[in-house]
């Protein structure tokens, strides 16, 4: 058997966004994005400098606010629905800029801050290699750290930051690692398919799906069905956008990105939204957990107000809040489920965009062990599937949690059509299926299966306060040139009800920094207009 081919390309998985996933494919990039235009070095430097100066800027804004407090004609009440990244960034910006004139209350249905950023931590049993288990159940990577505001936040909160080395091993469905020669030939075929397929799609009179683009000729269909190509398509596209190729718009699936490297926070990614919320509270903001919003009603007239109705998720008690303005930051999947009754009803402009955008499914599994039995100097491992194409996302990506996070653990990721089918499977069936795939991949290193000392399964589509992983541009979305305008529509106000979240910012959709920047955007709207 030839030695495995270890790719030294930038890491390209679940939440990472390298500047270039491939040299020929503008779409082969990770988000949970490489810009089709890209960022110039000068713009990246400027963004980096502005965010590094954020602490000084906050001090200046606070000083200016002190002088403005005496001029407050009245105190405005601001309610923010959701304590994920977009919600807490909005709360932080308003409270720390002018907390005396704007009284902020954040309501969150869960019993924690962070939303789809969740660093689950549990005590490990005696005899384990670590005293605790930790896994990033949701967002995991700082996607392009250069100039990224999330990088600056991680440093400001003095979190531990690690850099991905980008080393990867590709395995066949039988668990045989690709050698250098076999990998190079397969990669050339994949890059050719992607380049030609996207070029064909861009010449069409109307939008097509990525699957149509990659199967647009008999020769492309033949390449499309090769196991290596199926694996790479799952990783580069279906993981990036959380859905099957047959759902993704070939014109609008992609957006912008910050530049490499890819970074990770190794002592809890959700410490960033938690830190922002704590600083907002120190500036006067309030946080109410276990508060599920069920209705938002606006009144007009000389003194317009917004009434927010909710229930306590622990005891069912009903609570009503009154505000001058509301920022809704709940995920797109929850908005689409119509769990909040808006009065007046949302506009056709908003509901139309909501219907045309999709919500992806990404599921994770974590196996914690007493010892390692896999190559620990590699970031990620990809394995093909023998039953294609519906299974191309079946535990295709495995993350080594030992090197960067220090956990003796492996994280498996299921996506696309397979992730959707997981809704019909029990946890026991999911664990058994993932174990079989993991054992096939690593059997050459350890013939006898190793028993995990702990196993976690995370299904974001089953979470009532997420209802999916992140947004994507599905076939049928509306756009202008290379810009998907439906994301813009999701970010437009409806009277005194504003909207933030990764699904409201096309430039950085489906990313942590997109959520953060959308919250800042709406905070500025509140401070300027209300």
């Amino acid at each position: 058997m030839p030695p495995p081919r270890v790719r030294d390309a930038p890491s390209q998985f679940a939440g990472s966004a390298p500047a270039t996933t491939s040299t020929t494919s503008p779409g082969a990039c990770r988000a949970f994005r490489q810009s089709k235009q890209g960022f110039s070095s000068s713009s990246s430097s400027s963004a980096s400098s502005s965010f590094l100066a954020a602490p000084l800027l906050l001090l200046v804004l606070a000083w200016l606010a002190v002088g403005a407090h005496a001029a407050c004609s009245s105190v405005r009440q601001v309610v923010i629905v959701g304590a994920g990244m977009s919600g807490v960034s909005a709360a932080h910006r308003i409270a720390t800029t002018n907390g005396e004139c704007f009284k902020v209350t954040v309501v969150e249905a869960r019993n924690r801050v962070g939303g789809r950023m969740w660093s689950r931590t549990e005590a490990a049993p005696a005899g384990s290699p670590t005293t605790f288990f930790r896994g990033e159940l949701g967002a995991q990577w700082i996607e392009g750290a250069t100039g990224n505001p999330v990088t600056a936040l991680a440093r400001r909160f003095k979190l531990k930051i690690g850099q991905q080395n980008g080393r990867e091993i590709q395995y066949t469905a039988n668990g045989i690692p690709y050698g250098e020669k076999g990998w190079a030939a397969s990669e050339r075929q994949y890059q050719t398919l992607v380049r030609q397929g996207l070029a064909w799609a861009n010449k069409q009179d109307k939008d097509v799906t990525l699957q149509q683009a990659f199967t647009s000729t008999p020769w492309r269909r033949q390449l499309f069905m090769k196991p290596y190509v199926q694996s790479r398509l799952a990783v580069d596209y279906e993981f990036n956008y959380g859905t099957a190729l047959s759902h993704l718009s070939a014109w609008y699936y992609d957006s912008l990105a910050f530049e490499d490297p890819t970074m990770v926070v190794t002592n809890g990614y959700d410490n960033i939204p938690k830190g922002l919320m704590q600083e907002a509270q120190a500036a006067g903001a309030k946080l109410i957990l276990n508060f599920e919003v069920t209705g938002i009603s606006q009144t007009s007239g000389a003194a317009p107000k917004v009434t927010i109705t909710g229930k306590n998720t622990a005891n069912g008690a009903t609570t009503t809040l009154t505000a001058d303005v509301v920022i809704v930051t709940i995920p797109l999947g929850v908005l689409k489920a119509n769990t909040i009754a808006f009065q007046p009803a949302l506009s056709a402009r908003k509901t139309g965009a909501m219907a045309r955008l999709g919500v992806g499914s990404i599921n994770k599994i974590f196996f914690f062990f007493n010892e390692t039995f896999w190559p620990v100097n590699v970031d990620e491992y990809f394995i093909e599937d023998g039953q294609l194409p519906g299974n191309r996302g079946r535990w295709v990506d495995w993350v080594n949690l030992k090197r960067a996070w220090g956990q003796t653990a492996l994280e498996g990721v299921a996506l696309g059509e397979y992730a959707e089918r997981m809704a019909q499977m029990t946890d026991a069936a999911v664990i058994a299926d993932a174990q079989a795939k993991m054992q096939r991949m690593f059997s050459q290193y350890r013939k006898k299966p190793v028993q995990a000392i702990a196993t976690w399964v995370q299904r974001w589509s089953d979470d009532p306060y997420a209802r999916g992983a992140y947004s994507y541009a599905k076939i049928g979305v509306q756009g202008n040139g290379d810009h998907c305008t439906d994301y813009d529509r999701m970010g437009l106000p409806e009277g005194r009800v504003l909207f933030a979240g990764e699904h409201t910012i096309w430039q950085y959709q489906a990313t942590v920094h997109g959520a953060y920047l959308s919250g800042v955007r709406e905070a500025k709207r509140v401070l300027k207009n209300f």
Side-chain angles (χ1 to χ4, degrees):
M1 179 186 301
R5 199 283 179 181
V6 179
R7 287 200 290 267
D8 288 309
S11 178
Q12 33 179 318
F13 294 88
S16 64
T20 307
T21 297
S22 70
T23 57
T24 58
S25 167
C29 58
R30 304 295 309 153
F32 189 61
R33 188 142 346 253
Q34 163 65 15
S35 167
K36 292 179 182 177
Q37 294 81 27
F39 280 86
S40 68
S41 58
S42 59
S43 66
S44 185
S45 174
S46 174
S48 178
S49 299
S50 64
F51 283 114
L52 288 175
L56 177 60
L57 177 60
L58 286 175
L59 290 174
V60 173
L61 289 173
W63 178 80
L64 290 173
V66 170
H69 293 166
C72 285
S73 58
S74 63
V75 175
R76 275 80 82 198
Q77 299 293 331
V78 182
V79 171
I80 298 174
V81 182
M85 182 58 110
S86 57
V88 299
S89 70
H92 183 274
R93 178 58 63 97
I94 296 170
T96 58
T97 302
N98 194 350
E100 291 192 17
C101 293
F102 293 88
K103 296 302 181 183
V104 177
T105 300
V106 179
V107 296
E108 167 59 49
R110 295 183 175 90
N111 62 358
R112 60 176 180 82
V113 169
R116 286 166 287 174
M117 298 178 73
W118 185 9
S119 309
R120 179 177 171 180
T121 305
E122 292 185 3
S128 300
T130 59
T131 58
F132 62 90
F133 298 140
R134 177 178 288 140
E136 297 293 347
L137 272 59
Q140 192 161 356
W141 281 262
I142 299 178
E143 310 159 25
T146 303
N148 193 319
V150 177
T151 310
L153 288 170
R155 289 172 176 156
R156 184 157 68 83
F157 291 129
K158 295 180 170 55
L159 300 178
K160 296 179 180 178
I161 303 176
Q163 182 171 330
Q164 297 278 264
N165 66 15
R167 293 171 64 84
E168 309 156 349
I169 297 179
Q170 175 84 36
Y171 296 87
T172 69
N174 295 322
I176 301 172
Y178 272 73
E180 181 71 32
K181 185 176 180 180
W183 174 86
S186 297
E187 183 66 12
R188 281 195 299 271
Q189 291 181 330
Y190 168 70
Q191 298 292 347
T192 300
L193 172 66
V194 168
R195 183 178 63 251
Q196 293 186 2
L198 292 178
W200 176 86
N202 287 332
K203 294 177 182 178
Q204 301 310 300
D205 294 332
K206 64 178 182 178
D207 196 7
V208 297
T209 68
L210 282 179
Q211 181 152 319
Q212 288 174 313
F214 298 145
T215 58
S216 48
T217 67
W219 179 80
R220 289 176 196 147
R221 285 194 293 273
Q222 183 179 1
L223 281 186
F224 178 81
M225 289 304 300
K226 289 181 175 293
Y228 178 90
V229 171
Q230 289 278 304
S231 173
R232 290 280 274 124
L233 288 171
V235 168
D236 286 348
Y237 292 90
E238 295 189 334
F239 198 168
N240 200 0
Y241 308 102
T243 192
L245 296 171
S246 57
H247 299 162
L248 282 167
S249 160
W251 282 6
Y252 299 113
Y253 73 94
D254 202 10
S255 54
L256 306 182
F258 290 102
E259 294 181 357
D260 272 345
T262 297
M263 309 291 280
V264 295
V265 175
T266 60
N267 60 335
Y269 202 3
D270 66 5
N271 281 315
I272 294 179
K274 287 177 180 177
L276 288 170
M277 190 67 241
Q278 289 170 1
E279 290 188 350
Q281 289 175 285
K286 296 180 180 179
L287 172 65
I288 306 176
L289 298 175
N290 300 309
F291 188 112
E292 180 180 355
V293 173
T294 57
I296 297 176
S297 178
Q298 301 185 64
T299 61
S300 57
K305 295 290 182 180
V306 185
T307 301
I308 302 93
T309 305
K311 64 179 180 181
N312 187 297
T313 57
N315 58 31
T318 300
T319 303
T320 299
L321 302 174
T322 301
D324 296 287
V325 60
V326 173
I327 305 177
V328 177
T329 72
I330 61 175
L332 177 61
V334 181
L335 277 173
K336 290 167 78 76
N338 297 315
T339 60
I340 296 179
F342 289 92
Q343 183 61 39
L346 296 177
S347 67
R349 175 186 65 188
K350 181 79 67 179
T351 56
M354 193 185 307
R356 288 186 292 271
L357 294 176
V359 181
S361 295
I362 299 290
N363 297 323
K364 293 185 176 184
I365 193 166
F366 296 81
F367 292 105
F368 297 88
F369 300 95
N370 273 325
E371 59 180 317
T372 59
F373 53 88
W374 57 89
V376 295
N377 65 334
V378 174
D379 278 338
E380 290 175 282
Y381 321 90
F382 317 136
I383 182 168
E384 300 166 357
D385 199 280
Q387 302 176 30
L388 297 170
N391 274 355
R392 64 173 164 256
R394 174 178 171 249
W395 308 117
V396 66
D397 178 27
W398 290 82
V399 183
N400 172 26
L401 299 185
K402 182 66 174 177
R403 196 192 68 81
W405 285 270
Q407 293 284 310
T408 309
L410 289 166
E411 171 191 335
V413 183
L415 42 115
E417 296 175 20
Y418 180 81
E420 295 171 3
R421 294 202 305 274
M422 276 181 61
Q424 311 302 320
M425 300 169 63
T426 64
D427 276 0
V430 168
I431 292 170
D433 190 50
Q435 280 179 325
K437 198 78 178 281
M438 178 178 61
Q439 175 60 23
R440 186 177 304 123
M441 183 166 52
F442 296 126
S443 61
Q444 59 184 301
Y445 311 112
R446 181 66 61 89
K447 296 297 182 183
K448 184 178 179 180
V450 178
Q451 185 66 36
I453 54 178
T455 305
W456 300 345
V457 177
Q458 177 62 27
R459 309 166 185 251
W460 284 105
S461 294
D462 293 345
D463 184 330
Y465 306 125
R467 297 178 184 262
Y470 36 74
S471 66
Y472 68 88
K474 68 180 180 180
I475 188 70
V477 294
Q478 295 182 358
N480 180 15
D482 62 355
H483 185 99
C484 182
T485 52
D486 277 335
Y487 280 94
D488 300 333
R489 295 183 180 98
M490 290 305 303
L492 292 176
E494 300 265 317
R496 289 177 172 261
V497 178
L498 315 184
F499 295 84
E502 54 82 15
H503 56 282
T504 71
I505 180 166
W506 178 82
Q507 293 89 336
Y508 303 114
Q509 41 128 333
T511 65
V512 172
H513 52 269
Y516 171 82
L517 291 170
S518 73
V520 172
R521 178 197 67 210
E522 296 311 304
K524 291 179 178 178
R525 196 192 303 269
V526 169
L527 292 166
K528 179 180 179 180
N529 299 325
F530 293 92

